[in-house]
Amino acid sequence: MRGWDSLESPEKVGESHMIIVMRSSATEADIKAVAEKVSGLSFTPHVIEGVERTVIGVIGDGNKDPIKSFVNLDGVDKVYPVSKPYKLAARSSKEEDTVVNIRDIQVGGDTFVVMAGPCSVETPEQIDTAAKAVAEHGGVILRGGAYKPRTSPYSFQGLEEEGLKLLREAGDKYGMPIITELVSVDTVDKVVEYTDIIQIGARNMQNFPLLRSIGDVRKPILLKRGLSATLEELVMSAEYIMSGGNYQVMLCERGIRTFEKAYRNTLDLNAVPALKGMTHLPIIVDPSHGTGRVDLIPTMSKAAVAAGADGIIVEVHPKPEEALSDGPQALTPLMFEQLMKDLKPFVEAAGKKLVVLK
Ligand code: PEP
Ligand code: MN
């Protein structure tokens, strides 16, 4: 009977999901031969290149118990099953931190990156002024929303393609890659055309068709935690993207909904070290949405560094009082400058390198 399938046939997990860890000395040809063998056994190979070594995820319901088919192949170090519900994203699949490359900016490993800009792109002057301030004071990636997922249908919804253009122009003018949110499967091509990083917002963390639609995109993704999502659900959503072949995923803690009303959301910094244990993906903290209060952002940014985050994403607006979205949590250029000055020693104390524009 339809609808009862999951009770009658439990999901197949475990043995059909394996990880093959290649030696650091493995050649391209070794990797290719292993991947071909995986396909030959009717599994899908996921070749995830690391800085030190490559791992190959073996995913699917192919021929049974294939471990022994791989252990003796050239270049193979270890082969083991992954028992976590998420496979490609699991730390147990890849011990090494994933480093996401955006031009010459490395996110993950021993770097700390600052992404900043307005909540929404509003006018050419607004985004230009914001971008100038971000670049001058040490931000390296420019953020700005063009398609805005607003709680109210009557609120500003974003400039759409015009916003993408303006963000691109400002990023290019000040030498920064850009990040903007994708809210619909219908606009994937358009957003990909303009942006360097695709943001999936909190409200779309479990929009599975949207996650699938970026699996075959070759641009890094910043996946934000849903307002009421568990860490496991967040990592499972990353797995959706990775299972489509896009392994350049960064996760973002942006605050969750709790009973506390003193701030917009409760920034869950437990999530940073906890996620580091669960996954090899870089973790970014958003203290702007996480608090909703400019007075809390500097402290929580430092706390994010101490917790082990790989970067922060903050909202900066030339005139927060005139912002069309999220004004109360927007830093002025002056506040951003101060934040960057204060953050530097914390980043160094955490043993990380603050990424600067070249
Ligand atoms: C944003 O970055 O402006 C945004 C809407 O974020 P979130 O999805 O975390 O609410
Ligand atoms: Mn915002």
Side-chain angles (χ1 to χ4, degrees):
M1 202 192 346
R2 280 176 73 91
W4 293 97
D5 297 3
S6 61
L7 288 182
E8 285 164 9
S9 54
E11 262 181 274
K12 289 190 191 109
V13 287
E15 275 186 348
S16 53
H17 301 292
M18 300 182 334
I19 288 294
I20 301 171
V21 181
M22 302 301 290
R23 295 181 194 283
S24 50
S25 58
T27 64
E28 296 266 319
D30 294 340
I31 293 166
K32 190 158 173 264
V34 173
E36 275 169 9
K37 178 132 194 176
V38 172
S39 303
L41 289 170
S42 305
F43 290 95
T44 305
H46 288 270
V47 179
I48 307 180
E49 285 168 22
V51 180
E52 298 281 322
R53 40 169 83 200
T54 296
V55 299
I56 302 174
V58 179
I59 304 287
D61 295 316
N63 298 356
K64 257 188 120 199
D65 192 21
I67 288 188
K68 56 182 176 305
S69 320
F70 295 99
V71 277
N72 293 322
L73 294 187
D74 286 346
V76 171
D77 183 13
K78 294 181 273 199
V79 185
Y80 54 88
V82 184
S83 55
K84 295 267 189 259
Y86 41 89
K87 314 288 172 192
L88 303 171
R91 175 69 80 178
S92 52
S93 298
K94 184 169 171 277
E95 279 170 34
E96 204 185 286
D97 287 336
T98 280
V99 175
V100 171
N101 291 292
I102 305 130
R103 298 190 198 154
D104 55 6
I105 297 170
Q106 298 189 337
V107 186
D110 62 358
T111 66
F112 192 87
V113 67
V114 177
M115 311 184 188
C119 180
S120 304
V121 180
E122 299 169 358
T123 64
E125 299 71 35
Q126 174 250 15
I127 189 64
D128 185 84
T129 313
K132 185 167 186 281
V134 169
E136 258 178 28
H137 304 308
V140 288
I141 292 169
L142 180 66
R143 66 149 287 152
Y147 298 90
K148 295 303 300 178
R150 305 306 301 282
T151 303
S152 164
Y154 308 119
S155 300
F156 176 61
Q157 304 285 308
L159 297 183
E160 304 184 344
E161 190 169 3
E162 183 57 21
L164 295 176
K165 275 191 195 144
L166 294 174
L167 186 67
R168 177 82 266 164
E169 278 170 22
D172 289 348
K173 182 169 169 190
Y174 297 101
M176 288 179 287
I178 60 172
I179 173 169
T180 197
E181 181 167 351
L182 171 72
V183 296
S184 161
V185 172
D186 302 338
T187 49
V188 176
D189 292 344
K190 196 147 275 175
V191 170
V192 166
E193 186 188 328
Y194 289 96
T195 200
D196 299 291
I197 305 171
I198 299 169
Q199 174 174 320
I200 297 295
R203 288 156 194 80
N204 276 314
M205 189 203 86
Q206 286 188 315
N207 181 339
F208 301 117
L210 189 65
L211 300 178
R212 285 220 189 273
S213 78
I214 49 173
D216 61 359
V217 164
R218 292 295 165 262
K219 295 247 163 134
I221 309 295
L222 182 78
L223 176 66
K224 299 186 89 174
R225 181 182 182 183
L227 281 72
S228 308
T230 65
L231 298 186
E232 184 164 293
E233 286 164 342
L234 172 61
V235 182
M236 288 308 293
S237 289
E239 189 80 12
Y240 258 90
I241 302 168
M242 298 174 82
S243 66
N246 186 349
Y247 314 122
Q248 302 271 95
V249 180
M250 301 170 273
L251 303 179
C252 180
E253 164 57 39
R254 48 78 70 206
I256 50 172
R257 198 162 265 194
T258 70
F259 56 80
E260 185 51 70
K261 292 278 186 289
Y263 21 78
R264 184 178 179 187
N265 290 295
T266 298
L267 186 65
D268 176 18
L269 287 182
N270 297 355
V272 180
L275 282 169
K276 286 275 174 190
M278 293 165 74
T279 176
H280 50 83
L281 300 173
I283 315 295
I284 305 296
V285 169
D286 175 348
S288 302
H289 294 87
T291 64
R293 287 175 41 177
V294 276
D295 60 322
L296 303 183
I297 293 170
T299 306
M300 298 317 289
S301 299
K302 292 174 209 155
V305 177
D310 298 298
I312 52 170
I313 180 163
V314 288
E315 292 188 338
V316 175
H317 194 291
K319 291 186 187 146
E321 65 288 356
E322 291 175 16
L324 298 180
S325 61
D326 286 352
Q329 66 190 42
L331 301 171
T332 61
L334 204 65
M335 289 169 169
F336 179 67
E337 181 181 6
Q338 192 61 46
L339 167 69
M340 291 303 294
K341 279 189 190 142
D342 293 348
L343 208 56
K344 214 164 174 251
F346 282 82
V347 173
E348 281 159 15
K352 292 227 175 207
K353 285 193 273 270
L354 189 66
V355 179
V356 292
L357 281 179
K358 292 222 170 93

